[in-house]
Amino acid sequence: MVEYEAGAHTTIWRMPEAIETWGAAVALVDDAKRDAQEAQLVGRLQLLAERGRLRSPDMMNPEGDQIYAVKTKEGLRAYGWFTRVQSKRAFVISHVILKKKQKLDPADRIRASNCRDAISGTLQATNGRN
Amino acid sequence: MATMKEWIEASPSRKNLVAQERLIALVAEQIYAAIEDDESSKAALAKALGKSKAFVTQILSGTRNLTLRTVADIATALGRTPQFELPREHAESDWQPLQVASFVQLRSRAGVRFPCPNDGEVAADELRAA
């Protein structure tokens, strides 16, 4: 898990799969919109790190089982969950998809939940040391 | 790119795009917060503005490019005062690690006493000795 952005309120972390799928999802965005769409995702994650939440469901949506998707207009979705890492508030991104061009996998929430469950023991141990 | 900062700083246009997206998301977030705090609704805001609910939805999703006049109208409709600030970005070089020992020495030379929550004031020399 890699620290992506340390905001005033929350630190954003990326799982290794999030880094891989991020690049793959962005590559599927139309050339003309690619940088703008990635910037939209980055800008929203930056605000999430600063304020700890995004109220607009068009920007961040609960997907069930305490899994959230940070979204862009053209379909980029960064799935993750809130937790504590080293006793600090954290949002961990499990994976990223492009909704419109990659058929939405109905198991996306389960995929993020499984990722969370797989590392929850490690996170608890880390938080216990702090 | 390992971090958000590295991605943003890789090109000047990215920095601009992220600043735009962050501001759009921030305005939507603050409007949402005001609606929630007042236990109001998008429909009530639309009515106060004399606009359609779709207009408010577009504002809150970040898809409509707002003019300053519209932002002022929304703020007024919500009973708020619009405000614009340009806080300076802090360069990392602006921040220096505080060396406690140096700080104590400095205060000691100035003859300053430190307030202590349990025992009243303690002299800087006592702190240094401790």
Side-chain angles (χ1 to χ4, degrees):
Chain A
M1 197 163 74
V2 180
E3 185 178 309
Y4 179 59
E5 169 74 357
H9 187 282
T10 297
T11 303
I12 312 281
W13 295 81
R14 292 195 299 180
M15 297 296 292
E17 195 185 347
I19 298 169
E20 292 161 20
T21 53
W22 184 303
V26 167
L28 293 171
V29 178
D30 291 344
D31 288 353
K33 294 177 178 173
R34 188 170 297 142
D35 250 18
Q37 280 301 295
E38 192 166 8
Q40 195 169 79
L41 183 61
V42 169
R44 290 174 181 185
L45 287 169
Q46 195 178 63
L47 196 62
L48 175 66
E50 281 172 29
R51 301 174 75 95
R53 67 184 290 196
L54 297 175
R55 289 176 172 86
S56 170
D58 293 302
M59 297 184 189
M60 185 173 194
N61 201 45
E63 302 289 322
D65 194 25
Q66 296 181 317
I67 298 297
Y68 293 84
V70 178
K71 302 155 63 178
T72 72
K73 187 182 167 191
E74 299 292 330
L76 282 174
R77 302 277 187 272
Y79 287 91
W81 69 93
F82 289 99
T83 185
R84 283 189 177 264
V85 176
Q86 293 157 3
S87 302
K88 291 179 183 168
R89 284 178 289 246
F91 182 73
V92 182
I93 301 171
S94 64
H95 65 288
V96 180
I97 64 154
L98 181 68
K99 186 180 174 185
K100 284 183 180 171
K101 292 196 175 176
Q102 254 170 250
K103 188 173 181 292
L104 180 63
D105 185 350
D108 265 325
R109 181 187 59 72
I110 296 167
R111 187 175 169 190
S113 296
N114 290 344
C115 181
R116 176 190 60 196
D117 296 344
I119 67 156
S120 63
T122 311
L123 284 180
Q124 279 169 6
T126 309
N127 291 333
R129 284 200 295 272
N130 288 289
Chain B
M1 299 287 174
T3 67
M4 182 185 285
K5 192 178 172 192
E6 284 171 0
W7 185 83
I8 292 170
E9 292 185 351
S11 99
S13 67
R14 284 182 182 174
K15 200 168 183 179
N16 289 339
L17 284 169
V18 171
Q20 291 167 17
E21 293 298 341
R22 186 193 161 280
L23 181 61
I24 291 166
L26 178 63
V27 169
E29 178 67 19
Q30 292 189 337
I31 294 169
Y32 249 106
I35 291 172
E36 272 188 21
D37 290 349
D38 295 351
E39 295 179 358
S40 186
S41 65
K42 287 193 267 186
L45 176 59
K47 192 176 175 189
L49 286 167
K51 302 274 188 182
S52 66
K53 198 180 163 193
F55 173 84
V56 174
T57 300
Q58 285 176 344
I59 291 166
L60 295 175
S61 68
T63 52
R64 180 175 279 267
N65 206 1
L66 293 171
T67 65
L68 290 176
R69 291 181 195 283
T70 308
V71 172
D73 289 348
I74 292 166
T76 305
L78 289 166
R80 305 296 205 278
T81 305
Q83 218 171 322
F84 178 64
E85 291 175 356
L86 285 174
R88 191 175 291 279
E89 284 181 27
H90 291 290
E92 279 184 17
S93 56
D94 290 348
W95 297 90
Q96 298 293 327
L98 177 65
Q99 298 293 331
V100 176
S102 317
F103 178 69
V104 170
Q105 278 177 350
L106 209 67
R107 301 293 295 265
S108 176
R109 277 187 217 130
V112 176
R113 295 183 69 80
F114 291 85
C116 181
N118 297 324
D119 306 304
E121 287 188 338
V122 291
D125 284 346
E126 291 164 24
L127 265 180
R128 191 167 44 186

